[in-house]
Amino acid sequence: MNFIVFLLFFFVSINFVQSDSASTPTPFPLDPEAGLQTPGIIKRWGYPVEIHEALTEDGYILTMHRIPYGLHDGLTHNARRPVVFLQHGLEASSSNWISNLPTLSMGYLLADAGFDVWMGNVRGNLYSLNHTKYSVSSHEFWKFTWDEMQQYDLTAMINTALKATNHKSLYYVGHSQGTLIMFSKLAEDPTFASKIRKFFALAPVGTVAHIQGLLEVIAKDFYDGFEIMYKLFGEDQFLPDDAFMKAMLKLFCEESAQEEQTCANLLFIISGPSTGQMNATRVPVFLSDEPGGTSTMNIIHWSQYNFYFFLCSVL
């Protein structure tokens, strides 16, 4: 019943905003970066970009994006630089680090500060959909959670970056799930710490007791309805209908300034309420490859984590 009420409220809200904005449209120019993927955005700002692949022990082929040098670091292009590895969070991708303006994006800022910047993409996001044995349309491909990411993906990507740069260690910056998998990796394999010069954890995941947004709703209201969740969100890939997501982007993010805010509100349904710090004019760029993609099993694993803390709070 809670789920039905939620859907009714969601679609009524969408229809209200759509009809209201249609009567008073406020045109605005679409950002030229909207629709571009990570390499295209980086190239547009004049920064060099490379594409590298890492093969995991269990057969996943992961794509990494690299900015080997900055535009304003004062060094020659072939100078030896310290390596920094940036790892995105849940349902995200490497674009998170470069989709804002160069003066506000960590990828560009670190490159201009003299770092060799590598950006990872874990299995199941739009840049890492290949496997040596399984097709992306097979059930076997999507049988993973963040546990496999920490066990296999981090090892493959970081080893590849170190080998390519001839370094023995690097700086690691993780966001959200990117911190969780590194915390888990270091706890499970302490020797891996020798490859990490320093670990910077942004929005570190030590607990999800206070998480908000879609995961909170799934954990508290729909956790016992696994079959419904699989039917609703996709048995294999979470929110797999790319055509649906593109239609939502066009409907709510490319028409008017008023619909820009509606587009942002759709993001907050998934990620939780706004902090008031997001540049709404860049939303069409942010959504060019967001949500980045993951497995439904991974979402359920996160929900189990959240459900545990929810039970502890009510018992």
Side-chain angles (χ1 to χ4, degrees):
M1 180 59 70
N2 288 337
F3 174 65
I4 295 174
V5 172
F6 173 78
L7 282 183
L8 287 174
F9 176 78
F10 176 73
F11 285 112
V12 168
S13 299
I14 285 178
N15 290 331
F16 172 78
V17 173
Q18 183 181 359
S19 61
D20 182 64
S21 60
S23 61
T24 56
T26 307
F28 70 95
L30 186 63
D31 195 296
E33 292 171 53
L36 295 181
Q37 293 189 332
T38 299
I41 294 175
I42 295 173
K43 288 179 182 177
R44 185 177 178 276
W45 290 107
Y47 286 80
V49 60
E50 297 176 4
I51 300 174
H52 295 259
E53 290 185 342
L55 177 63
T56 68
E57 186 179 330
D58 59 344
Y60 286 84
I61 302 171
L62 313 177
T63 297
M64 297 177 292
H65 297 122
R66 179 190 186 189
I67 305 178
Y69 56 85
L71 301 181
H72 313 291
D73 59 6
L75 301 173
T76 60
H77 292 175
N78 60 354
R80 186 171 173 81
R81 293 168 168 79
V83 178
V84 60
F85 192 92
L86 310 180
Q87 184 54 53
H88 63 76
L90 178 64
E91 276 285 9
S93 74
S94 56
S95 70
N96 287 180
W97 307 104
I98 52 84
S99 58
N100 219 327
L101 302 177
T103 55
L104 298 172
S105 295
M106 183 170 286
Y108 305 122
L109 292 172
L110 289 173
D112 285 335
F115 287 90
D116 183 347
V117 181
W118 290 69
M119 295 164 283
N121 288 289
V122 295
R123 63 185 64 197
N125 90 352
L126 76 163
Y127 296 112
S128 298
L129 292 175
N130 291 311
H131 194 280
T132 57
K133 181 179 179 181
Y134 302 127
S135 164
V136 69
S137 60
S138 68
H139 295 306
E140 289 79 8
F141 182 94
W142 297 101
K143 291 181 178 180
F144 64 81
T145 73
W146 57 260
D147 195 32
E148 283 73 29
M149 296 173 194
Q150 66 87 11
Q151 184 177 0
Y152 301 114
D153 294 7
L154 279 182
T155 301
M157 291 189 294
I158 288 179
N159 285 348
T160 299
L162 291 176
K163 182 178 180 181
T165 58
N166 196 27
H167 277 273
K168 293 184 178 180
S169 62
L170 51 72
Y171 294 96
Y172 182 91
V173 181
H175 173 247
S176 188
Q177 181 179 263
T179 71
L180 175 62
I181 58 177
M182 181 56 80
F183 285 139
S184 301
K185 181 66 176 178
L186 295 175
E188 185 175 282
D189 181 11
T191 62
F192 194 76
S194 64
K195 300 179 181 181
I196 309 300
R197 296 183 64 177
K198 190 162 288 187
F199 171 19
F200 299 90
L202 308 179
V205 180
T207 175
V208 291
H210 309 291
I211 199 169
Q212 296 177 317
L214 185 60
L215 281 178
E216 179 189 28
V217 174
I218 292 175
K220 293 182 179 179
D221 295 327
F222 313 127
Y223 179 77
D224 56 348
F226 283 107
E227 289 190 19
I228 296 177
M229 290 173 61
Y230 268 82
K231 294 296 183 182
L232 177 64
F233 299 123
E235 182 179 356
D236 299 318
Q237 184 180 10
F238 183 68
L239 295 175
D241 193 342
D242 185 60
F244 171 77
M245 295 305 297
K246 290 185 182 301
M248 295 291 279
L249 173 63
K250 183 173 180 60
L251 181 62
F252 296 110
C253 305
E254 298 182 1
E255 297 296 330
S256 70
Q258 183 174 359
E259 289 177 353
E260 232 174 52
Q261 185 56 50
T262 306
C263 182
N265 289 338
L266 290 175
L267 285 178
F268 301 146
I269 288 176
I270 296 177
S271 61
S274 170
T275 61
Q277 299 179 22
M278 189 179 75
N279 181 357
T281 65
R282 297 284 292 182
V283 166
V285 181
F286 300 155
L287 288 183
S288 294
D289 56 12
E290 301 290 340
T294 191
S295 68
T296 299
M297 283 183 62
N298 190 36
I299 295 296
I300 290 177
H301 196 174
W302 272 93
S303 300
Q304 290 170 334
Y305 196 18
N306 184 273
F307 186 66
Y308 168 78
F309 285 102
F310 171 65
L311 282 181
C312 291
S313 68
V314 298
L315 294 178

